[in-house]
Every structure is written in C-alpha cells, then in structure tokens.
Amino acid sequence: MTFNSSFVSKLAGWGLLVVLGLNLRPILSSISPLLGEIRQATGLSFQSSALLTSLPVVCMGLVALVGVRVEARLGERRGIALGLMMILLACLARWLMGQGSALLATALLGGAGVALIQALVPAMIKREFQQRVPVAMGVYSASLMAGGGLAALLSPLVASHFQQWQAGLGIWLLPALAAWLLWVFLPLGAARSSKVMPTFKGLRNRRAWLLALYFGLVNCGYMSLVAWLPAYYQQLGWGVLPSGSLLAFMTIFQVIAALLMPVLAQRGIDRRPLLGIALLAQTVGYLGLLLAPLELTHLWVALCGFGLGACFALSLLLTLDHHRDPRQAGQLAAFVQGIGFLINAVSPWMTGWLRELTGHFTSAWWVLTVTAVAMLMVTRVFSPATYRTAAVAG
C-alpha cells in the first residue's frame, strides 16, 4: 500500500510538472500566427504588435527578480495557483475584448502569471526531484515548449472555426483552468515556509550576472522567432496556416532537445559540450533563414528549434548546478531568469523595429547569428571547477 501511494505521488508530481509547463507559452505564441488579422482589426503597428510578445517577457523578468519575496509571502502553492489564475483571466479577456489596448493589458496580466510560476518552479524541481534534476528540468522545459507549439498550431484553426481571431487567443483559458484545478487539489509545491531567508547577494556577484546575461542571450532567439517567423514567411509568400505551422514544427525539435539533452547531461557535470552543440545548431539555423529561406526551410527551422530547446533547459540546469541547497539555487535561478527575460523582451521588439526600418527581417537574423556565435565562445568559461568558487551566496 505504501509503495502504491509513493508511486501515485511521484506520478502526480511528474504530471503536474507537465501541466504547469504547458500553460507558460500560449500567451506568447498564440499571437504570431494571427498577427495579420490582429493588426488589421486593431491598427497596431509592427513595433506595437511586438509589445504583445515583449510585455509578457518584461513581466517574467521583473517578477522573477522579486521571486524570493514572492515565495516568502505566498509560498509555492498559492504563488503558482495565483499565476495560473492570472493566465486564465488574461485569456478570458482576450476572448471578450478586441481592442489593441486590451490586448496589451492582457499581455501584462498573463505575463505576470507566467512569471510567478517560472520564478517558483526551479527551486521546486531542485527539492522534489533531487536525484533527477536534469530529467525533471528537461520534462518541464519540453512541456513549456510543447505548449507554445500547440498554441501556434491550434490558434489559427480555432480562430477559423469560430470565424473570430479573439477565439484563437482566448481558447487557452481552458488548459489554464484545468491546470488550476489540478494544482489546487494535487499541489506539488511546499506550503509557505516560516524560515527567514537570507538576503540574496547576486547583485554583487559577477558569476550571477554572467549566468543571467548568458541565459538571456542564448535564449533570445526564441522570442524573436515566436513573434516574427510566421510573418517572415508570409512576407515570402506563404499563407497564414503554413507559416503558423512552422512554429509547431520548430516546437517538435525544441521538445526533443529539451528532453534529450538534459538526459545526456545526467551522465556528467560539465554542461559545456552540450551547450556548444546547441549554440552551433542555432547558428546554422539562423544562417539558413538568412541565406536560403525557401530551400530546406524545415531543416533551418528544426535546427533553430533544437538549439533553442536545448539552450533553455541546459542554461537553467547550469544555473542550478551552482548551489546544492534548493532554496539558494532557486534564488539564483530567479535572478538569472529575471535579468535573462528582460534581455529576451528586447529581442522581438528589436526584430520588429529592424523590420519596420529596413522593410525585411534579414538584419534581425544577422543579429541573432552573431549573438549565438558570441555565446558559443563564452560557454568555455563555465567549467564545473568554478561552480563552488563562483557560487552566489544566498
């Protein structure tokens, strides 16, 4: 009986991790395939439209930076429950309202909900999956990316079925509601702790800043591609559904990488070889989009997806490696995500600005290519021998 209860508890833990991840990207990726209709209906410019992707990411960054206080005040259970409710309400508002200002407001609301969850999950993974941290991080990352891909694929289909683009954005209240109900009745997180946490000293630690900048730059291509890849191919003559399906195709390889690479990482402690492979895949993918976008299109998109999926999971894992204590590791991960997502928020806005300035996306893909190459060179700094000496005091 004890064995069965333990097995059910572990199964519920993995299942909740998947459900949480699935709800963290539809608020972003449902926008891109419907961007043409949204702009036509609301009159938003390219730069203003980019805010629909950038604002949630800004929220992710700002809320993550106060993640320690959030945990102290709310605890994981209430914090994650609140985050899911905010996502649900944002999606409901998108279905009911069609003004540009309302969409921007829901981007803030939904982004804050996503941020709450993302700030609390890494420490939970470090504590609840102590012997399987790389695998758990892979499952969480893969679920997160799968949710983004499903939203990119299904949102235009739902909008077409209801003959209303708002429905394609609002339908994602249903998985948010399901996740909220599961979380309330089967909470994985610990209750609020009365233990006083020491002040986080990451602001004065160079390794914390390096990890944060690295996380932001190796992952910034995801936000640009989610926001603009369909628009890029629509400019090249593709239709709404085929261009939107490219994001879903990219997600397949993100999920594969997010699952496979952390499993491989479980075998050792040096993350640099796998991060090098991931950044090389990104570089080749961006160059393909630049130099031969209509030839081997799916290969370039697959390489981008594989590289981005691996980088997200591995860069978070690299951060958690710097502390054995789950709460201290969670503090560092919150800081890294906070700064990193603020960097990510600039990426889709910059891409939209360059598109409006030049009339095409070529310059933006060049920026992403150079960034990936630069981070490939920075990767060599993260030797496991430096983890403890450079560890950030919690």
Side-chain angles (χ1 to χ4, degrees):
M1 184 68 179
T2 302
F3 172 79
N4 288 338
S5 298
S6 175
F7 175 77
V8 170
S9 177
K10 289 180 180 178
L11 188 63
W14 287 101
L16 282 170
L17 198 59
V18 170
V19 170
L20 285 176
L22 286 172
N23 278 280
L24 300 184
R25 287 298 177 268
I27 200 80
L28 297 171
S29 60
S30 60
I31 291 285
S32 184
L34 299 171
L35 191 57
E37 295 175 51
I38 292 171
R39 290 186 63 243
Q40 185 175 6
T42 61
L44 291 172
S45 67
F46 278 103
Q47 279 184 276
S48 298
S49 301
L51 291 175
L52 296 175
T53 304
S54 292
L55 286 177
V57 186
V58 170
C59 286
M60 291 179 203
L62 294 177
V63 174
L65 288 175
V66 296
V68 177
R69 293 183 180 179
V70 169
E71 182 192 5
R73 289 183 177 274
L74 297 176
E76 285 171 5
R77 290 183 183 178
R78 286 191 286 181
I80 290 176
L82 177 60
L84 289 168
M85 182 56 65
M86 293 169 78
I87 295 171
L88 190 161
L89 292 174
C91 293
L92 177 62
R94 285 183 168 186
W95 201 328
L96 297 178
M97 296 182 284
Q99 301 88 353
S101 57
L103 287 178
L104 293 172
T106 60
L108 286 171
L109 178 63
V114 171
L116 270 176
I117 298 168
Q118 288 185 161
L120 296 171
V121 165
M124 184 179 72
I125 288 176
K126 187 85 171 179
R127 185 189 66 251
E128 299 285 343
F129 303 92
Q130 294 180 16
Q131 305 305 315
R132 290 284 185 270
V133 171
V135 177
M137 186 58 70
V139 169
Y140 166 68
S141 302
S143 302
L144 182 149
M145 293 160 191
L150 285 172
L153 179 65
L154 297 180
S155 289
L157 296 177
V158 172
S160 177
H161 176 77
F162 286 96
Q163 297 184 334
Q164 184 186 45
W165 59 264
Q166 292 98 318
L169 305 182
I171 195 68
W172 301 102
L173 70 89
L174 297 178
L177 176 60
W180 184 83
L181 291 172
L182 285 171
W183 181 256
V184 168
F185 289 105
L186 297 171
L188 180 62
R192 182 174 62 181
S193 173
S194 58
K195 179 182 176 182
V196 178
M197 288 295 293
T199 303
F200 180 64
K201 300 181 178 65
L203 293 174
R204 298 195 296 273
N205 189 282
R206 286 184 295 177
R207 176 53 67 98
W209 279 101
L210 180 60
L211 285 166
L213 293 171
Y214 185 79
F215 177 84
L217 292 172
V218 299
N219 292 303
C220 66
Y222 174 75
M223 299 301 175
S224 282
L225 291 178
V226 164
W228 298 111
L229 184 64
Y232 177 50
Y233 275 92
Q234 286 170 25
Q235 188 179 27
L236 294 175
W238 288 40
V240 173
L241 291 179
S243 62
S245 70
L246 283 177
L247 285 183
F249 183 76
M250 183 179 79
T251 301
I252 294 172
F253 292 88
Q254 282 183 285
V255 171
I256 291 171
L259 287 172
L260 174 64
M261 299 296 257
V263 169
L264 294 176
Q266 182 84 34
R267 300 179 180 181
I269 60 172
D270 193 346
R271 314 303 179 197
R272 293 177 297 173
L274 296 178
L275 280 164
I277 292 170
L279 285 164
L280 187 59
Q282 281 193 46
T283 302
V284 175
Y286 297 144
L287 285 173
L289 293 178
L290 265 167
L291 304 176
L294 297 177
E295 301 171 15
L296 303 176
T297 298
H298 287 83
L299 175 61
W300 313 136
V301 172
L303 286 169
C304 289
F306 187 91
L308 290 165
C311 277
F312 182 85
L314 292 172
S315 57
L316 267 183
L317 183 59
L318 175 70
T319 301
L320 294 179
D321 286 342
H322 280 70
H323 276 298
R324 291 190 179 95
D325 179 73
R327 299 191 78 188
Q328 290 184 331
Q331 287 186 9
L332 177 59
F335 175 79
V336 166
Q337 289 185 94
I339 300 298
F341 281 125
L342 289 175
I343 294 170
N344 286 180
V346 176
S347 182
W349 178 88
M350 178 206 69
T351 303
W353 175 71
L354 289 172
R355 163 64 179 84
E356 206 156 75
L357 184 69
T358 65
H360 51 73
F361 291 96
T362 302
S363 53
W365 304 151
W366 274 119
V367 171
L368 292 178
T369 302
V370 171
T371 300
V373 172
M375 292 303 100
L376 189 58
M377 292 186 286
V378 171
T379 300
R380 63 186 178 83
V381 172
F382 297 112
S383 166
T386 68
Y387 289 173
R388 301 304 166 202
T389 57
V392 182

